[in-house]
Amino acid sequence: MGRVTERRRTLRIRDGAVSSRADTLVAEEPLEIRLNGKPLAITMRTPGDDFALAAGFLVSEGVIAEGGEVQSIVYCAGATADGVNTYNVVDVKLAPGVVVPDITLERNVYTTSSCGLCGKASLDAVRTTTRHPVGDTPPVRVTPELLSALPDRLRGAQKVFDRTGGLHAAALFSEEGELLDVREDVGRHNAVDKLVGRALTDGRLPLSRAVLLVSGRASFELAQKAVMAGIPVLAAVSAPSSLAVDLAAESGLTLVGFLRGPSMNVYAGEHRIALGAGVH
């Protein structure tokens, strides 16, 4: 089974001085996700939390919405011609009676670590109707001060990043700012899927009182994943895309970008941001 990090020999050049040493790199390996034995998708990921990743992916695709809809998730033994278990193929078996949307079985998605929409025929194909609509009963309210403290808390929880400098991270926080879970991966969308998949298996969906923080930009796909999991607030340390803002506005998601220290931009759902008196 692949490790989270691997060592590679590198030539170091520093101020004209040349040396050779081993460097720690984040591991990247393909994961094939099968659904009821049929190949569904391949994603490049950092090994670890593979079952959560597969479950979270199926949530974001609208295939499942509750833990009881999954009968089992297993690594496929004999995934190669010589019968070796590579731990890079997982099969998700759905519970009896769970209906599988046809689109998920026909498109055979290939997702790279940097692209989440590869293989989508059109934007309409990803505007999946969530079974966990973003709600406000009672309303989630977060202050700018609480949001500004989250990136440092996320950074402090990134164990593998400290060794490699090459991982994205995603974290779930309570509306009071408590760190609930954090996952790292070479792909930011995989990190979010791992969070959502873990919440599914723990019976915590929908995540209707949570704040999702991602270490990079906020793409359309990440906004979609938040909506599919019922998350009301998505914050990113970098920029959102125009389509992510459109989806947030349409779905009622609060979208915060450029979250850096006390500064941030609120692109949608500003009603959840608790501003001080006199702030307009």
Side-chain angles (χ1 to χ4, degrees):
M1 180 177 181
R3 298 185 298 274
V4 174
T5 62
E6 295 184 6
R7 301 282 283 176
R8 293 290 188 275
R9 183 64 57 181
T10 182
L11 186 70
R12 289 171 55 93
I13 303 174
R14 299 290 186 272
D15 298 323
V18 180
S19 62
S20 179
R21 57 163 286 181
D23 197 13
T24 301
L25 304 177
V26 59
E28 183 177 25
E29 297 182 11
L31 178 71
E32 178 183 331
I33 301 173
R34 297 178 182 177
L35 185 60
N36 292 342
K38 186 174 182 178
L40 172 64
I42 298 175
T43 184
M44 300 303 295
R45 98 300 189 193
T46 301
D49 294 318
D50 291 335
F51 292 174
L53 170 57
F57 177 82
L58 293 179
V59 171
S60 68
E61 293 300 307
V63 178
I64 58 176
E66 300 176 358
E69 294 175 324
V70 176
Q71 180 168 313
S72 64
I73 305 179
V74 298
Y75 285 110
C76 293
T80 63
D82 55 4
V84 175
N85 192 337
T86 63
Y87 297 96
N88 282 335
V89 181
V90 298
D91 185 26
V92 182
K93 185 175 182 180
L94 300 182
V98 177
V99 178
V100 181
D102 290 339
I103 185 173
T104 62
L105 291 178
E106 298 299 330
R107 61 196 178 98
N108 291 321
V109 184
Y110 175 80
T111 304
T112 70
S113 59
S114 60
C115 171
L117 297 180
C118 301
K120 303 284 189 179
S122 66
L123 290 180
D124 289 340
V126 297
R127 292 182 184 272
T128 311
T129 301
T130 179
R131 284 189 273 165
H132 300 306
V134 177
D136 281 296
T137 51
V140 170
R141 299 273 284 173
V142 292
T143 65
E145 292 76 17
L146 184 147
L147 290 172
S148 67
L150 301 186
D152 284 344
R153 295 178 187 173
L154 171 59
R155 180 67 180 80
Q158 286 188 256
K159 298 178 180 179
V160 181
F161 183 90
D162 289 336
R163 288 183 283 159
T164 66
L167 279 181
H168 290 289
L172 288 173
F173 293 89
S174 71
E175 55 193 308
E176 292 81 24
E178 176 190 0
L179 178 62
L180 303 175
D181 197 4
V182 61
R183 303 289 158 172
E184 293 178 288
D185 198 276
V186 72
R188 60 174 60 87
H189 59 285
N190 289 336
V192 174
D193 277 342
K194 289 177 179 181
L195 284 176
V196 174
R198 181 62 60 186
L200 176 90
T201 57
D202 290 346
R204 293 186 287 115
L205 287 186
L207 292 163
S208 56
R209 312 301 301 178
V211 176
L212 172 62
L213 175 65
V214 294
S215 61
R217 61 185 178 86
S219 64
F220 173 85
E221 185 195 29
L222 295 188
Q224 182 205 13
K225 291 180 184 297
V227 170
M228 294 300 291
I231 297 171
V233 181
L234 168 61
V237 300
S238 191
S241 69
S242 61
L243 206 55
V245 174
D246 292 344
L247 179 61
E250 292 175 8
S251 62
L253 174 70
T254 294
L255 179 58
V256 178
F258 292 108
L259 180 57
R260 300 167 183 175
S263 300
M264 66 198 73
N265 294 342
V266 181
Y267 293 90
E270 57 269 16
H271 63 283
R272 294 193 184 91
I273 308 300
L275 301 175
V279 178
H280 301 285

